[in-house]
Amino acid sequence: MAERSYLSIGQVVNLLRGTYPDLSNSKIRFLEDEGLITPHRTPKGYRQYSKADVDRLEVILHLQKTRYMPLSAIKQKLDSASDLSTLAFEVGLLTDAPMKVASKETRQKLHPIEDVPDILGVDIAFLRQLSDNDLIRIVRSPQNRELIDGRDFEIIRHCAELSRFHIEPRNLRQYVNAANRESALFEQVLIGMLGTDDSDDNREAKLDRAFKTLHDLTDGVRTALLRNRVFESLNAVVEDADVDAIDDEITRAEMAAQSNSAVLPYATPESTTGVAPLDATELAAQPIRVTPITAE
């Protein structure tokens, strides 16, 4: 079975039409006529679009949709860009739309590997790279057909987006190892949370809610740790000058506190109420006058 590393013009339209509803075959041909994209051609003249062609097309459509740029300005911007993925990030394309979520029917289904390029816009060679690095699993049927689990579609989409940053499947093995370690922890906690509830009606919903809660918490810790490590290595969190300033501020505060405690070794009523207390010696030195009471 031949592997496809290219998409047809119709497949490209189906892939991008969700974000760009007015996209059509004729519009893509027009952009080619204007020199903005140059797809590969088969010996019979059919257009074939690589992933780089699709990424370039997305940048063009995004700039037209969000910035209303003329094609001449878009072409100039593309020609002057040193890297297409960097340009896509700069113009906000990578955060333009939320990641598509497959339907439950799609997730719970095995798909022939040759159908996946039409569904996700990735080529079969990329799917094999993901499988070789244990990110997804290619299932073989009794008749030796290669099948992709629909539950892996989300992984495939995320990995395809990461490839725009030149992060390849082989660079993601660490996440496979981390998932293998964390899954044991999650399983142990989830078993305890679900207890003896074995009802089919509620078990899946409860499991999903419990997993989401655990994932959000652990992902928060992981994200914060990763962000701190990266920003520290880039000297973007706390610089030495900031640490020195904090040290000086704390030292001044401690010295001021010590100075105050030397003057006022203990709290007095006056210090707390603002009223001077009566002194016993002063009271004894004052004459006491008694006004006589006369009978009427």
Side-chain angles (χ1 to χ4, degrees):
M1 186 178 299
E3 295 184 4
R4 290 183 291 176
S5 299
Y6 296 92
L7 300 180
S8 68
I9 191 170
Q11 291 169 339
V12 174
V13 171
N14 291 335
L15 177 65
L16 301 179
R17 184 170 279 166
T19 307
Y20 307 99
D22 60 341
L23 185 62
S24 62
N25 292 13
S26 59
K27 182 170 183 177
I28 295 179
R29 294 192 190 100
F30 172 74
L31 294 174
E32 181 183 350
D33 293 339
E34 293 296 314
L36 277 90
I37 52 176
T38 309
H40 175 74
R41 293 269 188 167
T42 68
K44 293 185 177 181
Y46 293 107
R47 294 174 176 84
Q48 292 185 320
Y49 296 84
S50 66
K51 186 178 184 305
D53 294 328
V54 175
D55 290 345
R56 184 179 176 93
L57 178 59
E58 278 193 278
V59 171
I60 296 168
L61 298 174
H62 177 77
L63 291 174
Q64 281 187 311
K65 177 181 177 181
T66 62
R67 303 196 182 185
Y68 310 102
M69 293 177 63
L71 293 180
S72 58
I74 294 176
K75 187 175 187 304
Q76 183 178 4
K77 197 172 190 66
L78 286 166
D79 293 342
S80 61
S82 58
D83 183 81
L84 185 61
S85 60
T86 302
L87 176 60
F89 179 78
E90 289 174 352
V91 301
L93 176 61
L94 297 183
T95 57
D96 182 49
M99 187 73 68
K100 295 178 182 178
V101 178
S103 65
K104 185 175 181 180
E105 180 181 358
T106 302
R107 293 196 306 270
Q108 296 180 347
K109 181 180 178 182
L110 292 172
H111 303 264
I113 194 170
E114 60 269 20
D115 291 348
V116 177
D118 293 337
I119 301 172
L120 300 180
V122 299
D123 57 56
I124 293 179
F126 184 72
L127 296 174
R128 295 198 189 284
Q129 290 180 41
L130 296 177
S131 176
D132 291 342
N133 289 279
D134 297 326
L135 289 154
I136 65 172
R137 186 166 62 98
I138 296 178
V139 181
R140 288 195 176 272
S141 71
Q143 298 185 25
N144 207 33
R145 292 189 175 93
E146 294 180 307
L147 307 172
I148 300 293
D149 193 330
R151 291 172 296 182
D152 287 339
F153 278 12
E154 185 177 5
I155 297 173
I156 296 170
R157 287 193 178 99
H158 284 300
C159 291
E161 288 295 312
L162 285 169
S163 68
R164 292 184 172 189
F165 294 94
H166 308 294
I167 299 177
E168 303 300 330
R170 58 187 173 81
N171 304 128
L172 301 174
R173 286 294 299 249
Q174 57 183 314
Y175 296 101
V176 176
N177 296 333
N180 292 338
R181 291 194 302 269
E182 287 188 67
S183 63
L185 172 65
F186 273 47
E187 289 168 10
Q188 182 179 1
V189 174
L190 291 173
I191 290 173
M193 293 176 70
L194 292 174
T196 58
D197 181 11
D198 57 357
S199 59
D200 294 336
D201 295 336
N202 297 326
R203 185 176 178 83
E204 183 177 354
K206 289 181 178 178
L207 182 63
D208 189 63
R209 287 195 301 271
F211 175 84
K212 186 178 185 305
T213 299
L214 280 178
H215 174 267
D216 289 346
L217 293 171
T218 55
D219 190 55
V221 174
R222 184 187 309 109
T223 301
L225 286 170
L226 180 59
R227 183 184 188 280
N228 288 349
R229 298 295 184 274
V230 171
F231 277 58
E232 285 171 3
S233 67
L234 297 176
N235 296 323
V237 180
V238 179
E239 299 179 355
D240 292 340
D242 296 328
V243 175
D244 292 340
I246 293 171
D247 253 346
D248 292 341
E249 183 179 344
I250 294 174
T251 300
R252 286 196 300 269
E254 290 176 344
M255 292 176 64
Q258 292 174 1
S259 177
N260 290 337
S261 64
V263 175
L264 298 174
Y266 55 87
T268 64
E270 183 178 9
S271 65
T272 57
T273 65
V275 178
L278 289 174
D279 186 88
T281 58
E282 293 180 357
L283 184 60
Q286 298 296 325
I288 299 177
R289 296 183 179 181
V290 179
T291 305
I293 299 176
T294 57
E296 295 182 356

